């Protein structure tokens, strides 16, 4: 059975846009994942973590998948590693970050995976691109666009770029 999932991708090191485009291509390449939508890209200030980090490039994708949640997590982590993700400092600079924001209507709280993502409702850098991709999207029963407006980092969104064209 296919499940709709929302993934958030971000990068603030290296060739950020190229990394995100290639990561989406990697996601598309899995035979159990179908890409449905891609948000515009948001240039945002870093939230949390060390001071003076480079700005992030963030976007959100909607997929359909037959992978189970932990299979999807492992696959996303393998894509991060392919793009030289290093986990040394929490919320530190990174070449690629992929978070599973939603997996259908599944709610779970496990040591390695919490769904929906526990901080998504507070992160404009996830919510605003998602709202631009799908104006009717809801997270935990609330419009994503409204949650974005209420997020502390809403003013940290610098600008938007058109969604990349991938998997064409």
């Amino acid at each position: 059975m296919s499940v709709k999932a929302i993934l958030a991708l971000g990068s603030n090191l290296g060739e950020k846009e190229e990394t995100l485009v290639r990561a989406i291509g990697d996601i598309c390449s899995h035979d159990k994942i179908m890409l449905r939508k891609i948000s515009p890209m948001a240039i945002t200030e870093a939230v949390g973590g060390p001071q003076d980090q480079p700005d992030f490039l963030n976007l959100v994708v909607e997929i359909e998948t037959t992978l189970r949640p932990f299979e999807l997590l492992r696959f996303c982590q393998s894509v991060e590693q392919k793009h030289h993700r290093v986990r040394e400092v929490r919320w530190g600079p990174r070449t690629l970050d992929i978070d599973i924001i939603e997996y259908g209507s599944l709610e779970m709280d496990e040591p390695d995976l919490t769904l929906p993502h526990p901080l998504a409702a507070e992160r404009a850098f996830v919510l605003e691109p998602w709202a631009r991709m799908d104006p009717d999207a809801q997270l935990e029963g609330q419009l994503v666009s409204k949650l974005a407006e209420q997020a502390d980092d809403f003013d940290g969104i610098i600008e938007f770029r058109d969604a990349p064209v991938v998997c064409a």
Side-chain angles (χ1 to χ4, degrees), residues 93-113:
R94 60 208 88 139
T95 56
L96 181 62
D97 185 37
I98 304 175
D99 288 329
I100 303 171
I101 304 303
E102 270 192 335
Y103 182 92
S105 59
L106 182 64
E107 294 181 15
M108 65 184 291
D109 189 0
E110 297 291 331
D112 294 329
L113 183 59

Side-chain angles (χ1 to χ4, degrees), residues 35-70:
L35 182 69
R36 292 295 180 204
K37 297 178 186 174
I38 305 173
S39 78
M41 294 181 286
I43 301 170
T44 66
E45 296 172 356
V47 174
Q51 296 293 317
D52 301 321
Q53 290 189 57
D55 291 337
F56 270 84
L57 194 56
N58 294 289
L59 58 77
V60 173
V61 296
E62 177 184 308
I63 63 169
E64 281 187 35
T65 185
T66 56
L67 294 173
R68 292 190 191 126
F70 282 102

Side-chain angles (χ1 to χ4, degrees), residues 28-144:
C28 291
S29 72
H30 197 293
D31 63 353
K32 293 185 177 181
I33 295 176
M34 174 70 67
L35 182 69
R36 292 295 180 204
K37 297 178 186 174
I38 305 173
S39 78
M41 294 181 286
I43 301 170
T44 66
E45 296 172 356
V47 174
Q51 296 293 317
D52 301 321
Q53 290 189 57
D55 291 337
F56 270 84
L57 194 56
N58 294 289
L59 58 77
V60 173
V61 296
E62 177 184 308
I63 63 169
E64 281 187 35
T65 185
T66 56
L67 294 173
R68 292 190 191 126
F70 282 102
E71 291 173 324
L72 180 59
L73 176 63
R74 284 190 297 277
F75 176 68
C76 289
Q77 290 171 339
S78 75
V79 172
E80 288 176 338
Q81 286 190 322
K82 180 178 178 180
H83 293 277
H84 311 292
R85 166 72 188 263
V86 177
R87 296 176 189 273
E88 292 177 349
V89 177
R90 185 170 188 198
W91 296 332
R94 60 208 88 139
T95 56
L96 181 62
D97 185 37
I98 304 175
D99 288 329
I100 303 171
I101 304 303
E102 270 192 335
Y103 182 92
S105 59
L106 182 64
E107 294 181 15
M108 65 184 291
D109 189 0
E110 297 291 331
D112 294 329
L113 183 59
T114 301
L115 295 169
H117 190 288
L119 298 175
E122 305 168 14
R123 293 179 164 173
F125 66 85
V126 170
L127 298 163
E128 187 61 20
W130 186 4
R132 289 176 183 229
M133 177 182 76
D134 182 357
D136 298 321
Q138 292 193 11
L139 178 63
E140 299 175 353
Q142 297 184 58
L143 273 176
V144 168

